[in-house]
Amino acid sequence: MRPNSEPDARHFRRVLDRMGLLQLDFVNVLMPAHYLMIWSRVGAYQRERFDRYAYGTGNCTEQWAHEASIVPTSAWPLLAHRRACFKPWKNSPIAKLRNRNQYLQQILKQVECDGGVTASDLPPLPGPKRKAGDWHRSVPRWALEYHFGCGALTVANRMPNFQRVYDLPERVIPEKHLQLNLSDADAQRELLQRAASALGIASLRDLADYYRMTPRDAAPHVEGLVLSGDLQAVTVEGWGESAYLSSDARSPRRIPGASLLSPFDPMVWFRPRAERLFKFHYRIEIYVPEAKRKWGYYVLPFRMGDEIVARVDLKADRKSGALLVQSAHEEGGIDRQRALGALAAELTALSEWLELGQIKVRPQNAFSRALSKIL
């Protein structure tokens, strides 16, 4: 349930502690993914207040977790083995840079002396020629991301344009987390336990995917969590694989409320789990040519109670001050009128939070036409 009072640091902490991470994605057709995930759970909140919590309190940091994610700083020692084996991306010019080590050390010295830096604060270096369709990064940005992946630097803040500000970990991460050394096995076991707490009930593949492990690596740790009582092996009707119930999972009599979900929300990011739980087949079509898209460019699943009842392709048209519903589709076997009323209320709340004065629905089918009339 969303809180009755205005969300603050207490609510953000509960969400982060419960989920374990917020995957970052800055496709800005509607709102960056991590902001949407918070909104799905707490409702309208001040984004500036969340930014202060995420980057100004020592409670959070960014790490490669599921993908690039905001995580509690307590996850820093749990991901040390990832940082230790980090390698530059295959297309990174850092791997072929002349005097690479000298250049990378110069960056660390500049950060040590001057404090947090962005890629724009570093002297430019010529890099490979940009090819058509490439996502361009400067050589300084590649270098900073290399240091971020290795753990020599971490993210201290984000600029208004979402550009990362990098600084030394000791200036960002509380010392108790910096000093904690764990074996790879202990770290992986704790990550899997956090995944289990976030998911409640899950298969081995679900648990492994949460922090990007292979099922083979995760399996012995999951068995250990069963032996310790942190997980219980259970059978779920209709699942073709074993399931595990977290010891802190709750079984509510009902699941109230409704919420739109980011495409990168843990409820749906592992597509096989979404199909098992909700019979919901979901794919992101951002990179699908427009003519071949079935549902739309940026499609959000709509949860009502314990079901996903619809999906909507949304866009924030900030110039005209409108929330655009490019398409809306219902799932099979739902209570259409109830779903329409709940979806209309959620879209209204979202448009108000985004400070968009109107909602425009493209009437492509019976469901979207009915939604348009209600709105």
Side-chain angles (χ1 to χ4, degrees), residues 79-134:
L79 297 165
H81 62 288
R82 297 271 183 85
R83 298 191 295 273
C85 63
F86 178 82
K87 295 180 181 179
W89 305 107
K90 290 182 179 180
N91 58 338
S92 171
I94 296 301
K96 299 179 181 179
L97 189 65
R98 184 180 299 176
N99 299 322
R100 180 183 75 167
N101 292 337
Q102 180 181 351
Y103 176 67
L104 292 173
Q105 285 302 313
Q106 286 176 347
I107 291 175
L108 291 180
K109 287 180 181 178
Q110 180 173 338
V111 176
E112 184 177 357
C113 293
D114 300 344
V117 300
T118 68
S120 303
D121 297 323
L122 302 178
L125 275 182
K129 291 183 178 179
R130 184 177 181 181
K131 298 177 182 178
D134 277 357

Side-chain angles (χ1 to χ4, degrees), residues 252-319:
R253 293 182 179 179
R254 66 185 186 92
I255 299 175
S259 55
L260 288 160
L261 304 174
S262 162
F264 304 95
D265 195 294
M267 284 188 67
V268 293
W269 69 20
F270 189 50
R271 310 311 184 203
R273 175 178 168 82
E275 291 190 41
R276 265 183 280 117
L277 279 179
F278 305 112
K279 295 181 174 58
F280 182 69
H281 185 270
Y282 184 47
R283 298 292 183 271
I284 296 177
E285 297 182 309
I286 291 175
Y287 301 109
V288 175
E290 184 174 0
K292 295 183 178 181
R293 290 179 194 141
K294 182 177 181 180
W295 307 109
Y297 180 80
Y298 199 73
V299 175
L300 278 67
F302 178 59
R303 176 198 65 86
M304 185 174 68
D306 60 356
E307 297 180 290
I308 292 179
V309 297
R311 62 185 87 199
V312 288
D313 180 19
L314 299 182
K315 179 180 180 179
D317 186 345
R318 295 172 177 86
K319 288 185 178 180

